Amino acid sequence: MDVVLAQPRGFCAGVVRAIEIVERALALHGPPVYVLHEIVHNRHVVEDLRRRGAVFAEDLTAVPPGAAIVFSAHGVPRATYEAARRRELRVVDATCPLVAKVHGQAQRYSRSGATVIVVGHAGHEEVRGTLGSIDGPVLLVSSVEDVAALPPLEGELAYVTQTTLSVDDTRDVIAALRGRFPQIVGPDVDDICYATQNRQAAVHALSERVDALIVVGARNSSNSNRLRELAAQRGVPAWLVDDASQIEPAWFEGISVVGLTAGASAPERLVQGVIERLREFGTLRVREMRGIAENVSFGLPEEALRALASRNARERRSA
Ligand code: SF4
């Protein structure tokens, strides 16, 4: 069997930054460092950090007052920052800068008097954070059908989108919004992030040349689900797996070329694990497609990390 690796695949700059923030916080502060929600949607990453002293909490009430806490890459509602302040928590914010940009844009629209429509999936953490960053009227739509079901809306209207949607779905939903509400405004460049776009473009190209596709990623990872759906929509059987243990030999009967990619929060070692598992089925030729080379990186919240270190040093001195 031939295996064609997608390029690019796996970790994006926001995920690399979020993991590095937890690692730096652990090094500067020492365990435990609390993390609100999964730092990124991948249980392997979460388990690894847990072993090193990170404590994952779903709610701030589970975090002792004064503790160090990292907010996940998906962003949090404004109320969460306020609750953390009230509990005197030492916050290091790992919200991806591209998500923070969407929050800023949504807040500007709202302050200018617009009703904001968020295009995204209900219940996803990023969407909860974006909805909760807007003080004024806000609505959520996920599909063209949702747009048709909106009540008549007068006055100024604006939209923002979740960063990890499918480029195609967003295009259709935005077209439906523009069709129903000609006055609606949106960002100059859409909010789908570079990593989502590049990974989807790679799957588009791969779908032309493979018989099946494996996506390594978590069930609750929005961008990983979109990659699987994209291939399926193009008639390519596609499976989303957490890791090699979920690979079924029966999937590959009659398949000679299989594509392999990974969502933005899946570590490369899991991709390599899948290759090793596929080797158990017979001879494998592995190659990588030519694709977009990414060189994006985001800086760390140095000030918050420094504050963590200096307060920790003060506490050690006075102990
Ligand atoms: Fe940021 Fe995009 Fe990665 Fe999400 S997928 S963390 S928006 S770079």
Side-chain angles (χ1 to χ4, degrees):
M1 195 160 65
D2 280 336
V3 174
V4 186
L5 291 167
Q7 168 62 27
R9 64 179 179 278
F11 276 5
C12 62
V15 163
V16 169
R17 175 179 181 268
I19 295 170
E20 207 176 326
I21 286 173
V22 179
E23 289 173 340
R24 286 277 303 275
L26 281 167
L28 292 168
H29 180 271
V33 166
Y34 289 81
V35 181
L36 187 62
H37 310 306
E38 290 187 332
I39 183 73
V40 298
H41 283 151
N42 190 281
R43 73 179 168 85
H44 295 271
V45 172
V46 167
E47 284 309 319
D48 182 43
L49 292 171
R50 187 175 278 138
R51 272 193 296 274
R52 292 150 74 182
V55 176
F56 292 85
E58 281 309 306
D59 198 297
L60 287 189
T61 56
V63 181
I69 184 158
V70 178
F71 288 166
S72 78
H74 310 100
V76 295
R78 202 187 297 213
T80 304
Y81 291 101
E82 284 152 19
R85 233 186 332 269
R86 281 196 301 276
R87 273 183 103 68
E88 297 183 356
L89 300 178
R90 289 174 263 172
V91 173
V92 186
D93 192 355
T95 301
C96 174
L98 299 182
V99 174
K101 187 174 133 223
V102 175
H103 289 190
Q105 180 79 63
Q107 285 157 6
R108 279 191 294 280
Y109 285 138
S110 184
R111 277 198 296 270
S112 75
T115 295
V116 179
I117 298 180
V118 177
V119 182
H121 289 296
H124 188 275
E125 253 158 52
E126 180 190 329
V127 171
R128 279 207 294 266
T130 303
L131 291 170
S133 72
I134 303 164
D135 288 331
V138 59
L139 296 160
L140 173 67
V141 294
S142 303
S143 62
V144 170
E145 292 72 31
D146 287 353
V147 176
L150 285 173
L153 295 166
E154 303 290 333
E156 286 181 44
L157 278 181
Y159 69 84
V160 293
T161 68
Q162 185 180 339
T163 56
T164 49
L165 291 181
S166 115
V167 179
D168 293 340
D169 286 351
T170 321
R171 192 183 302 119
D172 292 347
V173 175
I174 292 170
L177 283 170
R178 288 194 193 287
R180 260 206 82 185
F181 309 107
Q183 80 274 34
I184 200 164
V185 295
D188 291 339
V189 181
D190 73 28
D191 299 317
I192 304 297
C193 87
Y194 81 95
T196 303
Q197 297 210 0
N198 292 348
R199 280 150 193 69
Q200 289 181 11
V203 165
H204 253 275
L206 259 189
S207 301
E208 302 295 322
R209 45 197 278 213
V210 299
D211 306 317
L213 180 79
I214 300 170
V215 181
V216 182
R219 301 256 147 231
N220 59 346
S221 158
S222 173
N223 75 88
S224 304
N225 278 289
R226 300 292 85 72
L227 294 177
R228 193 206 63 75
E229 286 167 11
L230 201 65
Q233 281 160 7
R234 298 172 77 80
V236 176
W239 296 277
L240 176 63
V241 296
D242 260 340
D243 55 35
S245 69
Q246 294 179 344
I247 300 278
E248 300 283 345
W251 295 346
F252 305 101
E253 276 164 28
I255 298 284
S256 50
V257 187
V258 63
L260 179 54
T261 188
S265 43
E268 178 63 16
R269 68 186 152 84
L270 300 180
V271 173
Q272 296 305 318
V274 168
I275 293 173
E276 287 317 305
R277 169 81 174 127
L278 294 176
R279 282 193 205 286
E280 294 170 13
F281 309 150
T283 311
L284 217 62
R285 277 186 304 271
V286 182
R287 59 205 151 88
E288 191 166 73
M289 68 177 276
R290 255 192 265 167
I292 298 163
E294 292 179 340
N295 56 1
V296 179
S297 64
F298 299 130
L300 299 181
E302 293 295 350
E303 205 179 313
L305 287 166
R306 264 199 306 275
L308 210 60
S310 65
R311 184 156 162 190
N312 199 31
R314 271 201 311 278
E315 281 170 1
R316 267 204 232 113
R317 273 199 302 275
S318 63

